[in-house]
């Protein structure tokens, strides 16, 4: 009788454990993410311009990298990719802009690559919207960026900061 009771109690406790919600079941444990200082290689895996103008659309890629460094929602990524295409088109290279757009749409998903959406974070945030505090921290990091030492990067960063602080 005592064995039957202990076994029944064991089964009851096991079934309760299986039926009760576990906030960690099916989810990864929360890993704190940290934003690293901004870094860019301009047009990752792509030239920064044509042979006759080797930096023709480098500024477009710089701004695009600012957006990808910070990350955010799917809508923000799509807007950033469309702005890259339009910027390269305005620089006089519509075909290159279209090809770059296809490349970033196919290869820029959130992940671990140095060109992935949200690459500035130590752990992938996916398409998580940024909290006001996170955005503010990012803008403070940019205010101390090594890229502020020369134009046109200084202007591009300052414009990015103004745009993000107004959001």
């Amino acid at each position: 009788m005592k064995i039957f009771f202990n076994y029944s109690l064991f089964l009851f406790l096991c079934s309760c454990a299986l039926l009760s919600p576990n906030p960690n079941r099916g989810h990864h444990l929360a890993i704190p993410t940290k934003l690293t200082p901004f870094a860019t290689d301009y047009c990752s895996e792509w030239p920064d311009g044509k042979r006759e103008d080797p930096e023709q659309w480098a500024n477009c890629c710089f701004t695009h990298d600012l957006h990808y460094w910070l990350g955010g929602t799917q809508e923000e990524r799509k807007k950033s990719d469309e702005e890259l295409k339009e910027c390269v088109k305005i620089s006089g290279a519509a075909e290159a802009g279209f090809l770059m757009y296809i490349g970033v749409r196919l290869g820029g998903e959130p992940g671990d690559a140095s060109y992935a959406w949200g690459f500035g974070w130590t752990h992938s945030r996916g398409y998580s919207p940024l909290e006001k505090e996170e955005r503010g921290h990012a803008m403070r990091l940019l205010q101390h960026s090594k890229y502020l030492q020369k134009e046109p990067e200084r202007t591009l960063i300052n414009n990015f900061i103004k745009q993000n602080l107004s959001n």
Side-chain angles (χ1 to χ4, degrees), residues 74-99:
Q74 265 185 307
E75 294 78 24
E76 289 171 313
R77 177 176 170 237
K78 188 171 191 300
K79 181 180 179 208
S80 174
D81 293 346
E82 289 170 351
E83 288 174 356
L84 171 68
K85 178 174 71 172
E86 187 62 24
C87 183
V88 175
K89 178 182 175 182
I90 290 169
S91 82
E95 301 84 14
F98 177 74
L99 291 173

Side-chain angles (χ1 to χ4, degrees), residues 49-57 92-93:
K50 294 179 183 173
R51 182 174 295 153
E52 59 273 10
D53 186 359
E55 295 182 2
Q56 184 174 349
W57 51 76

Side-chain angles (χ1 to χ4, degrees), residues 49-145:
K50 294 179 183 173
R51 182 174 295 153
E52 59 273 10
D53 186 359
E55 295 182 2
Q56 184 174 349
W57 51 76
N59 293 342
C60 304
C61 295
F62 185 90
T63 300
H64 188 253
D65 276 2
L66 283 167
H67 289 277
Y68 266 61
W69 166 75
L70 186 57
T73 65
Q74 265 185 307
E75 294 78 24
E76 289 171 313
R77 177 176 170 237
K78 188 171 191 300
K79 181 180 179 208
S80 174
D81 293 346
E82 289 170 351
E83 288 174 356
L84 171 68
K85 178 174 71 172
E86 187 62 24
C87 183
V88 175
K89 178 182 175 182
I90 290 169
S91 82
E95 301 84 14
F98 177 74
L99 291 173
M100 291 167 77
Y101 176 78
I102 298 299
V104 295
R105 293 306 298 159
L106 293 175
E109 292 286 323
D112 295 328
S114 62
Y115 50 82
W117 181 249
F119 72 81
W121 297 93
T122 54
H123 297 87
S124 177
R125 296 171 43 96
Y127 286 115
S128 301
L130 292 151
E131 300 291 330
K132 185 177 181 179
E133 297 79 25
E134 291 172 320
R135 198 172 291 276
H137 174 69
M139 298 311 109
R140 287 188 296 279
L141 272 177
L142 286 175
Q143 290 170 340
H144 300 285
S145 172

